[in-house]
Amino acid sequence: SIRVRFVASFAALLVAVVLALAAALTGVLTSRVEAEELDRVRAQLASAEQDIETDATQELTNDLGTLAGFDSVRSPIQRGGNLTSLAREIDDIPIFEFDFVMVMDRRGRVLGFSGEGPHVSRRGRPSRSPTKLRPIHQVNINGSEVIQQVKRPEIPESASPVRIGPNLVAIMAAREVPDADAPSRAAGIIATGIWLDALTVDGLSTSVAARASIVVDGRPIVSSFSRRPRESIVSADVQ
């Protein structure tokens, strides 16, 4: 009958309108959830950046200032000579969490060094043991901008995240050690560092519940991805 056809047509139209509204609402909600999740990750990333660039750097600076005040550190640096044993003793002090220690004369010539390399990523997880540093790594550490700044007479201390050669990144702090007989003159320089490595990325991934990578010159040097992300996962602008 006409009445049944009219009701059926109206019901079909109503269903179509409801489906259209549902699809539109689902799209809006999905977009909103994605935007909120992206904002969350962005905020946590900014917090991680703040922690590395300011908090961890300041903590390393404070630890180095405390260390440089020890007479057991100042006296050997003032005497000079081979200070490899001093660097090892400093590296083994349990209250400090240094990955490497470098002791230099006031011109920046290395007198002693102790430390290990960064943890690398294996299938997206940190290696159990740190890598070993080669002599070229010591050269790169000595040539870092933080140490180069302290070599200048007008800058007694410096601290910052820096690149160590082409592939490594660390938070470094360096400062002059005053001469006990002439405090206005430096007896030497001491520098310490903490690697930004697979352990850093793993901690970051855990805190933000997302994959993380450290990128240098557009190339990931360490990542919590078990393998290189496909283009379908990471958009071109993010890559």
Side-chain angles (χ1 to χ4, degrees):
S1 66
I2 295 177
R3 180 180 298 176
V4 172
R5 292 181 181 181
F6 176 79
V7 171
S9 300
F10 180 78
L13 178 61
L14 183 61
V15 170
V17 171
V18 170
L19 290 176
L21 289 175
L25 184 59
T26 300
V28 170
L29 290 177
T30 301
S31 178
R32 180 173 298 177
V33 169
E34 290 177 347
E36 290 177 352
E37 180 67 8
L38 185 59
D39 288 340
R40 181 189 69 82
V41 174
R42 184 182 291 113
Q44 290 178 315
L45 179 60
S47 176
E49 180 186 8
Q50 171 79 12
D51 181 62
I52 291 172
E53 199 167 31
T54 304
D55 300 342
T57 301
Q58 186 60 53
E59 182 178 355
L60 186 64
T61 303
N62 295 340
D63 288 346
L64 182 57
T66 301
L67 178 67
F70 293 165
D71 186 63
S72 58
V73 173
R74 297 174 60 180
S75 296
I77 292 178
Q78 188 163 348
R79 291 194 300 267
N82 189 326
L83 299 181
T84 300
S85 60
L86 174 64
R88 288 174 180 168
E89 290 175 7
I90 295 172
D91 195 25
D92 291 336
I93 297 177
I95 62 173
F96 301 124
E97 297 182 355
F98 304 138
D99 286 333
F100 58 85
V101 177
M102 180 172 283
V103 183
M104 296 153 278
D105 63 17
R106 59 185 179 182
R107 294 184 178 84
R109 184 172 63 91
V110 179
L111 303 177
F113 180 84
S114 177
E116 297 176 313
H119 287 257
V120 298
S121 181
R122 302 188 188 283
R123 296 182 179 179
R125 300 293 297 173
S127 58
R128 293 184 178 181
S129 302
T131 57
K132 293 183 178 180
L133 293 177
R134 302 193 303 272
I136 185 60
H137 292 124
Q138 295 184 33
V139 173
N140 291 335
I141 290 172
N142 185 250
S144 66
E145 181 60 26
V146 166
I147 293 179
Q148 295 305 309
Q149 287 180 353
V150 178
K151 287 181 181 180
R152 303 165 191 160
E154 67 276 7
I155 304 179
E157 65 176 2
S158 177
S160 175
V162 293
R163 288 178 58 178
I164 307 297
N167 298 321
L168 303 180
V169 186
I171 303 172
M172 278 191 62
R175 65 177 294 137
E176 293 180 347
V177 178
D179 191 315
D181 301 324
S184 61
R185 185 179 64 181
I189 299 172
I190 185 169
T192 58
I194 301 172
W195 296 112
L196 298 177
D197 57 5
L199 291 178
T200 308
V201 166
D202 187 61
L204 179 59
S205 294
T206 301
S207 65
V208 303
R211 299 294 186 182
S213 301
I214 295 177
V215 181
V216 175
D217 282 342
R219 183 172 61 86
I221 59 172
V222 60
S223 177
S224 61
F225 282 99
S226 58
R227 53 191 176 187
R228 186 173 180 178
R230 302 188 305 273
E231 288 187 9
S232 59
I233 296 178
V234 182
S235 61
D237 58 335
V238 174
Q239 288 181 359

